[in-house]
Amino acid sequence: MVSIKSDREIELMRHSGHINYLCHKYLESQLRPGITTKEIDELAGKFMKEHDCISSSLNYQGYPGYICISVNDEVVHGIGSNRKLKNGDIVTLDISMSYKGYHSDSAATYPVGTITKDKEDLLKYTKEALMEGLKEVKAGAKLGNVSHAIEKCAHRHKLGVVEELCGHGIGTKLHEDPDIPNFGDEGVGLTMKAGMTFAIEPMLNLGTKHVCLLDDDWTIVTEDGKPSAHFEHTVLVTETGYEILTGE
Ligand code: MF3
Ligand code: CO
């Protein structure tokens, strides 16, 4: 079932999304070569606590971190550790939190110091794919158009589209119906309605679309070891389009 949020619920999701956005800005300002991913995770936990928010990932099916931190070829669900970020790395911070029971979910991939042109393009085009997908969000339109727009953008830039992981509905639970794949046909699927809230999240690879799971049972990496990027916003469907709840 795809839920429609009331005005009160939307207000709470806006707040959750705003704190999520501020958490991104804060963590981005702390990124530098030498910081460990565990230190970033602890800063995130502290920030959420100070803003009356609760991490949605901590203890989610046993996940051990406040946020997910994925470096270079890690696609999603990397766990904070004593690994130090290095100049030239890219790092994805995937932040999900709840405020008074309402979740927000937002990811972005950041450069550490100076990165290669290939990595720069990967970040730029993955963000572009998210924005192209968002442009299709509108009451009365088909959800398949969102998936299709993301895939089209990825293929235009010769990037691999991860198929095992999807965007999702979001609200009183982190993952609600429907699943929102980052590929597919236009004109199919759910008809969007005002008041629905979605987390839309392309994960794109510089090489193959294929991924594998590491021995920690969480971290998903690209099969060919090439870098991956991930951009995600939580959005509200409106009559005329969409409102980004995790943006500025
Ligand atoms: N933002 C991630 C997602 O949408 C959160 C995952 S929770 C975790 O799936 F426990 F898997 F980290
Ligand atoms: Co998500």
mmCIF file of all heavy atoms in Angstrom, residues 56-65 67-68 76-78 94-96 104-107 165-168 174-175 199 201 218 230 232, ligand 1:
data_model
loop_
_atom_site.group_PDB
_atom_site.id
_atom_site.type_symbol
_atom_site.label_atom_id
_atom_site.label_comp_id
_atom_site.label_asym_id
_atom_site.label_seq_id
_atom_site.Cartn_x
_atom_site.Cartn_y
_atom_site.Cartn_z
ATOM 1 N N SER A 56 18.019 6.068 11.467
ATOM 2 C CA SER A 56 17.149 4.987 10.998
ATOM 3 C C SER A 56 17.958 3.748 10.645
ATOM 4 O O SER A 56 17.396 2.667 10.517
ATOM 5 C CB SER A 56 16.390 5.417 9.744
ATOM 6 O OG SER A 56 15.874 6.709 9.877
ATOM 7 N N SER A 57 19.263 3.918 10.449
ATOM 8 C CA SER A 57 20.051 2.745 10.049
ATOM 9 C C SER A 57 20.588 1.977 11.253
ATOM 10 O O SER A 57 20.696 0.744 11.189
ATOM 11 C CB SER A 57 21.186 3.135 9.099
ATOM 12 O OG SER A 57 21.954 4.171 9.627
ATOM 13 N N LEU A 58 20.903 2.692 12.355
ATOM 14 C CA LEU A 58 21.446 2.002 13.525
ATOM 15 C C LEU A 58 20.463 0.924 13.997
ATOM 16 O O LEU A 58 19.290 1.213 14.251
ATOM 17 C CB LEU A 58 21.717 3.000 14.657
ATOM 18 C CG LEU A 58 22.399 2.416 15.894
ATOM 19 C CD1 LEU A 58 23.825 1.963 15.581
ATOM 20 C CD2 LEU A 58 22.419 3.430 17.040
ATOM 21 N N ASN A 59 20.968 -0.294 14.057
ATOM 22 C CA ASN A 59 20.179 -1.479 14.466
ATOM 23 C C ASN A 59 19.138 -1.932 13.433
ATOM 24 O O ASN A 59 18.384 -2.853 13.707
ATOM 25 C CB ASN A 59 19.473 -1.266 15.818
ATOM 26 C CG ASN A 59 20.473 -1.008 16.918
ATOM 27 O OD1 ASN A 59 21.541 -1.618 16.923
ATOM 28 N ND2 ASN A 59 20.155 -0.107 17.831
ATOM 29 N N TYR A 60 19.113 -1.284 12.268
ATOM 30 C CA TYR A 60 18.221 -1.743 11.194
ATOM 31 C C TYR A 60 18.731 -3.100 10.722
ATOM 32 O O TYR A 60 19.818 -3.189 10.174
ATOM 33 C CB TYR A 60 18.218 -0.721 10.052
ATOM 34 C CG TYR A 60 17.335 -1.092 8.882
ATOM 35 C CD1 TYR A 60 16.021 -0.652 8.817
ATOM 36 C CD2 TYR A 60 17.812 -1.884 7.847
ATOM 37 C CE1 TYR A 60 15.202 -0.980 7.747
ATOM 38 C CE2 TYR A 60 17.014 -2.224 6.776
ATOM 39 C CZ TYR A 60 15.706 -1.770 6.730
ATOM 40 O OH TYR A 60 14.904 -2.105 5.664
ATOM 41 N N GLN A 61 17.966 -4.124 10.967
ATOM 42 C CA GLN A 61 18.392 -5.504 10.679
ATOM 43 C C GLN A 61 19.813 -5.759 11.167
ATOM 44 O O GLN A 61 20.584 -6.475 10.533
ATOM 45 C CB GLN A 61 18.267 -5.801 9.180
ATOM 46 C CG GLN A 61 16.806 -5.768 8.731
ATOM 47 C CD GLN A 61 16.644 -5.979 7.227
ATOM 48 O OE1 GLN A 61 17.582 -6.312 6.516
ATOM 49 N NE2 GLN A 61 15.414 -5.794 6.744
ATOM 50 N N GLY A 62 20.154 -5.117 12.289
ATOM 51 C CA GLY A 62 21.473 -5.326 12.887
ATOM 52 C C GLY A 62 22.579 -4.430 12.343
ATOM 53 O O GLY A 62 23.743 -4.585 12.735
ATOM 54 N N TYR A 63 22.243 -3.459 11.501
ATOM 55 C CA TYR A 63 23.281 -2.568 10.960
ATOM 56 C C TYR A 63 23.932 -1.789 12.110
ATOM 57 O O TYR A 63 23.229 -1.220 12.957
ATOM 58 C CB TYR A 63 22.693 -1.602 9.925
ATOM 59 C CG TYR A 63 23.743 -0.725 9.294
ATOM 60 C CD1 TYR A 63 24.528 -1.203 8.257
ATOM 61 C CD2 TYR A 63 23.984 0.561 9.770
ATOM 62 C CE1 TYR A 63 25.530 -0.417 7.705
ATOM 63 C CE2 TYR A 63 24.979 1.354 9.223
ATOM 64 C CZ TYR A 63 25.742 0.860 8.191
ATOM 65 O OH TYR A 63 26.741 1.639 7.652
ATOM 66 N N PRO A 64 25.289 -1.738 12.137
ATOM 67 C CA PRO A 64 25.966 -1.180 13.315
ATOM 68 C C PRO A 64 26.334 0.309 13.273
ATOM 69 O O PRO A 64 27.006 0.777 14.188
ATOM 70 C CB PRO A 64 27.235 -2.042 13.394
ATOM 71 C CG PRO A 64 27.536 -2.373 11.968
ATOM 72 C CD PRO A 64 26.219 -2.411 11.233
ATOM 73 N N GLY A 65 25.918 1.083 12.257
ATOM 74 C CA GLY A 65 26.362 2.481 12.193
ATOM 75 C C GLY A 65 25.216 3.473 12.219
ATOM 76 O O GLY A 65 24.073 3.135 11.911
ATOM 77 N N ILE A 67 25.184 6.102 10.209
ATOM 78 C CA ILE A 67 24.939 6.354 8.775
ATOM 79 C C ILE A 67 25.723 5.313 7.974
ATOM 80 O O ILE A 67 26.512 4.546 8.551
ATOM 81 C CB ILE A 67 25.371 7.785 8.343
ATOM 82 C CG1 ILE A 67 26.891 7.969 8.508
ATOM 83 C CG2 ILE A 67 24.603 8.846 9.137
ATOM 84 C CD1 ILE A 67 27.405 9.278 7.901
ATOM 85 N N CYS A 68 25.519 5.280 6.675
ATOM 86 C CA CYS A 68 26.298 4.398 5.807
ATOM 87 C C CYS A 68 27.376 5.244 5.121
ATOM 88 O O CYS A 68 27.074 6.328 4.597
ATOM 89 C CB CYS A 68 25.416 3.746 4.754
ATOM 90 S SG CYS A 68 24.099 2.723 5.447
ATOM 91 N N VAL A 76 27.069 0.900 -1.574
ATOM 92 C CA VAL A 76 26.206 1.278 -0.438
ATOM 93 C C VAL A 76 26.555 0.464 0.809
ATOM 94 O O VAL A 76 27.263 -0.539 0.730
ATOM 95 C CB VAL A 76 24.695 1.011 -0.720
ATOM 96 C CG1 VAL A 76 24.120 2.011 -1.703
ATOM 97 C CG2 VAL A 76 24.450 -0.411 -1.131
ATOM 98 N N HIS A 77 26.020 0.931 1.949
ATOM 99 C CA HIS A 77 26.024 0.198 3.227
ATOM 100 C C HIS A 77 27.413 -0.046 3.806
ATOM 101 O O HIS A 77 27.592 -0.968 4.604
ATOM 102 C CB HIS A 77 25.267 -1.145 3.098
ATOM 103 C CG HIS A 77 23.834 -0.971 2.667
ATOM 104 N ND1 HIS A 77 23.055 -2.011 2.261
ATOM 105 C CD2 HIS A 77 23.054 0.130 2.593
ATOM 106 C CE1 HIS A 77 21.851 -1.578 1.925
ATOM 107 N NE2 HIS A 77 21.827 -0.263 2.128
ATOM 108 N N GLY A 78 28.408 0.802 3.407
ATOM 109 C CA GLY A 78 29.720 0.720 4.057
ATOM 110 C C GLY A 78 29.583 1.113 5.522
ATOM 111 O O GLY A 78 28.749 1.959 5.881
ATOM 112 N N ASP A 94 25.348 8.271 3.294
ATOM 113 C CA ASP A 94 23.928 7.960 3.121
ATOM 114 C C ASP A 94 23.298 8.078 4.507
ATOM 115 O O ASP A 94 23.549 7.262 5.390
ATOM 116 C CB ASP A 94 23.772 6.551 2.544
ATOM 117 C CG ASP A 94 22.325 6.222 2.208
ATOM 118 O OD1 ASP A 94 21.438 7.044 2.486
ATOM 119 O OD2 ASP A 94 22.091 5.117 1.684
ATOM 120 N N ILE A 95 22.507 9.151 4.670
ATOM 121 C CA ILE A 95 22.014 9.527 5.994
ATOM 122 C C ILE A 95 20.504 9.307 6.055
ATOM 123 O O ILE A 95 19.748 9.883 5.272
ATOM 124 C CB ILE A 95 22.334 11.012 6.291
ATOM 125 C CG1 ILE A 95 23.839 11.282 6.129
ATOM 126 C CG2 ILE A 95 21.843 11.395 7.683
ATOM 127 C CD1 ILE A 95 24.243 12.738 6.350
ATOM 128 N N SER A 96 20.082 8.456 6.984
ATOM 129 C CA SER A 96 18.644 8.307 7.207
ATOM 130 C C SER A 96 18.369 8.509 8.690
ATOM 131 O O SER A 96 19.115 8.025 9.550
ATOM 132 C CB SER A 96 18.144 6.950 6.703
ATOM 133 O OG SER A 96 19.002 5.915 7.042
ATOM 134 N N SER A 104 13.561 10.467 7.032
ATOM 135 C CA SER A 104 14.089 11.105 5.817
ATOM 136 C C SER A 104 15.334 10.325 5.436
ATOM 137 O O SER A 104 15.983 9.711 6.283
ATOM 138 C CB SER A 104 14.434 12.569 6.081
ATOM 139 O OG SER A 104 15.419 12.659 7.093
ATOM 140 N N ASP A 105 15.652 10.350 4.164
ATOM 141 C CA ASP A 105 16.748 9.529 3.641
ATOM 142 C C ASP A 105 17.408 10.338 2.536
ATOM 143 O O ASP A 105 16.729 10.792 1.608
ATOM 144 C CB ASP A 105 16.119 8.231 3.093
ATOM 145 C CG ASP A 105 17.129 7.134 2.817
ATOM 146 O OD1 ASP A 105 18.329 7.344 3.058
ATOM 147 O OD2 ASP A 105 16.684 6.058 2.369
ATOM 148 N N SER A 106 18.710 10.548 2.649
ATOM 149 C CA SER A 106 19.402 11.352 1.637
ATOM 150 C C SER A 106 20.853 10.912 1.542
ATOM 151 O O SER A 106 21.520 10.717 2.565
ATOM 152 C CB SER A 106 19.325 12.830 2.011
ATOM 153 O OG SER A 106 20.017 13.605 1.068
ATOM 154 N N ALA A 107 21.330 10.753 0.321
ATOM 155 C CA ALA A 107 22.725 10.362 0.109
ATOM 156 C C ALA A 107 23.385 11.321 -0.865
ATOM 157 O O ALA A 107 22.723 11.901 -1.730
ATOM 158 C CB ALA A 107 22.804 8.941 -0.445
ATOM 159 N N LEU A 165 19.473 -2.632 -6.092
ATOM 160 C CA LEU A 165 19.015 -1.711 -5.050
ATOM 161 C C LEU A 165 18.104 -0.670 -5.668
ATOM 162 O O LEU A 165 18.314 -0.257 -6.806
ATOM 163 C CB LEU A 165 20.229 -1.033 -4.407
ATOM 164 C CG LEU A 165 21.182 -2.011 -3.724
ATOM 165 C CD1 LEU A 165 22.622 -1.577 -3.887
ATOM 166 C CD2 LEU A 165 20.824 -2.162 -2.269
ATOM 167 N N CYS A 166 17.087 -0.260 -4.903
ATOM 168 C CA CYS A 166 16.036 0.612 -5.439
ATOM 169 C C CYS A 166 15.777 1.793 -4.520
ATOM 170 O O CYS A 166 16.075 1.733 -3.327
ATOM 171 C CB CYS A 166 14.707 -0.140 -5.458
ATOM 172 S SG CYS A 166 14.630 -1.462 -6.631
ATOM 173 N N GLY A 167 15.134 2.815 -5.067
ATOM 174 C CA GLY A 167 14.502 3.824 -4.231
ATOM 175 C C GLY A 167 13.228 3.226 -3.648
ATOM 176 O O GLY A 167 12.870 2.078 -3.938
ATOM 177 N N HIS A 168 12.521 4.034 -2.835
ATOM 178 C CA HIS A 168 11.416 3.468 -2.062
ATOM 179 C C HIS A 168 10.493 4.553 -1.528
ATOM 180 O O HIS A 168 10.911 5.702 -1.383
ATOM 181 C CB HIS A 168 11.986 2.649 -0.883
ATOM 182 C CG HIS A 168 13.070 3.390 -0.121
ATOM 183 N ND1 HIS A 168 12.812 4.152 0.988
ATOM 184 C CD2 HIS A 168 14.407 3.523 -0.353
ATOM 185 C CE1 HIS A 168 13.946 4.689 1.424
ATOM 186 N NE2 HIS A 168 14.943 4.333 0.619
ATOM 187 N N LEU A 174 11.217 3.612 7.243
ATOM 188 C CA LEU A 174 12.267 4.024 6.311
ATOM 189 C C LEU A 174 11.971 3.497 4.907
ATOM 190 O O LEU A 174 12.141 4.220 3.921
ATOM 191 C CB LEU A 174 13.628 3.496 6.799
ATOM 192 C CG LEU A 174 14.824 3.735 5.884
ATOM 193 C CD1 LEU A 174 15.078 5.224 5.669
ATOM 194 C CD2 LEU A 174 16.069 3.053 6.437
ATOM 195 N N HIS A 175 11.549 2.244 4.847
ATOM 196 C CA HIS A 175 11.240 1.643 3.543
ATOM 197 C C HIS A 175 9.764 1.313 3.473
ATOM 198 O O HIS A 175 9.286 0.418 4.153
ATOM 199 C CB HIS A 175 12.072 0.362 3.329
ATOM 200 C CG HIS A 175 13.537 0.625 3.269
ATOM 201 N ND1 HIS A 175 14.455 -0.081 4.008
ATOM 202 C CD2 HIS A 175 14.251 1.530 2.562
ATOM 203 C CE1 HIS A 175 15.668 0.385 3.750
ATOM 204 N NE2 HIS A 175 15.574 1.362 2.893
ATOM 205 N N ALA A 199 11.782 8.183 -1.599
ATOM 206 C CA ALA A 199 13.242 8.349 -1.606
ATOM 207 C C ALA A 199 13.722 7.841 -2.956
ATOM 208 O O ALA A 199 13.522 6.672 -3.284
ATOM 209 C CB ALA A 199 13.879 7.571 -0.477
ATOM 210 N N GLU A 201 16.885 7.330 -5.568
ATOM 211 C CA GLU A 201 18.314 7.177 -5.288
ATOM 212 C C GLU A 201 19.104 6.364 -6.307
ATOM 213 O O GLU A 201 19.391 5.196 -6.078
ATOM 214 C CB GLU A 201 18.499 6.571 -3.890
ATOM 215 C CG GLU A 201 17.687 5.332 -3.564
ATOM 216 C CD GLU A 201 18.007 4.782 -2.166
ATOM 217 O OE1 GLU A 201 19.182 4.785 -1.787
ATOM 218 O OE2 GLU A 201 17.079 4.364 -1.461
ATOM 219 N N TRP A 218 27.366 -6.597 4.786
ATOM 220 C CA TRP A 218 26.693 -5.313 4.565
ATOM 221 C C TRP A 218 27.211 -4.587 3.328
ATOM 222 O O TRP A 218 26.431 -4.193 2.456
ATOM 223 C CB TRP A 218 26.855 -4.383 5.791
ATOM 224 C CG TRP A 218 25.864 -4.689 6.851
ATOM 225 C CD1 TRP A 218 26.108 -5.297 8.056
ATOM 226 C CD2 TRP A 218 24.450 -4.440 6.803
ATOM 227 N NE1 TRP A 218 24.938 -5.441 8.741
ATOM 228 C CE2 TRP A 218 23.906 -4.919 8.011
ATOM 229 C CE3 TRP A 218 23.599 -3.849 5.872
ATOM 230 C CZ2 TRP A 218 22.542 -4.821 8.296
ATOM 231 C CZ3 TRP A 218 22.232 -3.762 6.160
ATOM 232 C CH2 TRP A 218 21.734 -4.247 7.362
ATOM 233 N N HIS A 230 26.375 7.733 -5.560
ATOM 234 C CA HIS A 230 25.001 7.573 -5.067
ATOM 235 C C HIS A 230 24.472 8.933 -4.627
ATOM 236 O O HIS A 230 25.074 9.578 -3.762
ATOM 237 C CB HIS A 230 25.055 6.599 -3.877
ATOM 238 C CG HIS A 230 23.741 6.278 -3.242
ATOM 239 N ND1 HIS A 230 23.675 5.662 -2.005
ATOM 240 C CD2 HIS A 230 22.466 6.452 -3.645
ATOM 241 C CE1 HIS A 230 22.404 5.472 -1.688
ATOM 242 N NE2 HIS A 230 21.656 5.943 -2.659
ATOM 243 N N GLU A 232 20.764 10.782 -3.431
ATOM 244 C CA GLU A 232 19.398 10.457 -3.014
ATOM 245 C C GLU A 232 18.743 11.658 -2.337
ATOM 246 O O GLU A 232 19.384 12.338 -1.537
ATOM 247 C CB GLU A 232 19.432 9.303 -1.991
ATOM 248 C CG GLU A 232 18.083 8.955 -1.377
ATOM 249 C CD GLU A 232 18.172 7.798 -0.384
ATOM 250 O OE1 GLU A 232 19.225 7.658 0.282
ATOM 251 O OE2 GLU A 232 17.200 7.047 -0.261
HETATM 252 N N1 MF3 B 1 19.567 4.761 3.064
HETATM 253 C C1 MF3 B 1 19.619 3.343 3.089
HETATM 254 C C2 MF3 B 1 18.505 2.732 2.241
HETATM 255 O O1 MF3 B 1 17.675 3.413 1.695
HETATM 256 C C3 MF3 B 1 19.530 2.949 4.520
HETATM 257 C C4 MF3 B 1 19.868 1.583 4.736
HETATM 258 S S1 MF3 B 1 19.681 1.149 6.365
HETATM 259 C C5 MF3 B 1 20.932 0.095 6.578
HETATM 260 O O2 MF3 B 1 18.405 1.549 2.066
HETATM 261 F F1 MF3 B 1 20.780 -0.440 7.696
HETATM 262 F F2 MF3 B 1 20.940 -0.788 5.586
HETATM 263 F F3 MF3 B 1 22.028 0.765 6.529
#
